[in-house]
Amino acid sequence: MKIASIKLILLMSLVMLTISGCGKNKNDNANDSAADNQSAQNKNNNANISKDDVEELGKIIRLPVQPEEASWREDNSETQGNDNIALTSTGKKITVVLKFSAEDAQTIVEQADKNKPPFASDVDAESWFPPELIAKSQESGDEAIKGASYSANDFLREPYKNGKLTHINDTDFFVLELTSY
């Protein structure tokens, strides 16, 4: 009888340990969820780090003239239409800041002018833009950089289909915005 009760106690203890080890408690699930969210956030932040390798950029877009400097960010995003058009599309977008020599800047302007005449345009300054452009945006007081925009056809390479090239006033900087939609 004594052996039977010891076996019963051991069996009950084993069952209790097995049951308590089978499931995760709520705190473990919350911690796992928070870790997953942090990992996704870090991955998203890393995707939005600006890059500055001109050779790598030349593999992504066409560069009719080699820039002196380049920095860019790619964005896989979802866009919404305006009030008149309820359009939602997903695709790629790249924003590139290019600096050319004075001669090459003039060449780019002349070539772009052949495709389509320029129009006055503003570009919103972003925190990763070169300091010269950020300072230029603060001159106007509205955080926008003024320039003349042209068609970006000379820079398009699949998957990018549309875009604009903005020559920033009184500089040799250009802001190129291309989209795949």
Side-chain angles (χ1 to χ4, degrees):
M1 183 88 172
K2 194 174 190 181
I3 294 178
S5 62
I6 292 176
K7 285 183 180 180
L8 182 60
I9 290 173
L10 288 176
L11 182 62
M12 294 289 277
S13 297
L14 182 61
V15 168
M16 294 297 279
L17 285 173
T18 304
I19 290 174
S20 67
C22 284
K24 286 186 167 183
N25 71 30
K26 289 184 213 176
N27 290 337
D28 288 343
N29 288 339
N31 289 341
D32 287 350
S33 177
D36 290 344
N37 288 341
Q38 184 65 35
S39 175
Q41 175 100 17
N42 288 342
K43 186 176 181 180
N44 198 21
N45 286 344
N46 289 339
N48 284 329
I49 294 174
S50 63
K51 299 177 184 179
D52 62 4
D53 184 351
V54 175
E55 189 174 312
E56 182 182 349
L57 179 62
K59 295 175 183 176
I60 299 170
I61 66 170
R62 288 183 51 218
L63 292 171
V65 176
Q66 190 75 7
E68 290 181 351
E69 297 175 25
S71 57
W72 77 94
R73 277 193 178 175
E74 287 183 286
D75 182 23
N76 296 328
S77 63
E78 185 171 305
T79 60
Q80 305 262 333
N82 60 24
D83 292 338
N84 299 330
I85 303 171
L87 170 72
T88 301
S89 64
T90 57
K92 294 182 91 167
K93 178 182 179 185
I94 186 169
T95 303
V96 185
V97 177
L98 300 161
K99 182 179 182 187
F100 294 100
S101 68
E103 295 164 356
D104 288 343
Q106 187 60 35
T107 301
I108 294 290
V109 166
E110 289 170 0
Q111 195 170 341
D113 197 29
K114 291 177 184 176
N115 293 326
K116 184 178 177 183
F119 57 94
S121 181
D122 293 344
V123 175
D124 291 332
E126 299 199 30
S127 61
W128 58 271
F129 279 16
E132 300 95 330
L133 292 185
I134 292 173
K136 195 137 185 77
S137 74
Q138 294 168 348
E139 288 174 6
S140 67
D142 61 0
E143 302 299 318
I145 308 167
K146 306 225 180 283
S149 288
Y150 301 85
S151 167
N153 291 345
D154 295 332
F155 293 86
L156 295 175
R157 177 177 283 164
E158 285 295 328
Y160 299 106
K161 299 175 183 168
N162 297 301
K164 74 176 183 174
L165 175 69
T166 304
H167 182 209
I168 305 304
N169 292 343
D170 304 320
T171 71
D172 295 323
F173 282 99
F174 292 78
V175 177
L176 177 67
E177 298 169 289
L178 303 177
T179 61
S180 65
Y181 42 88

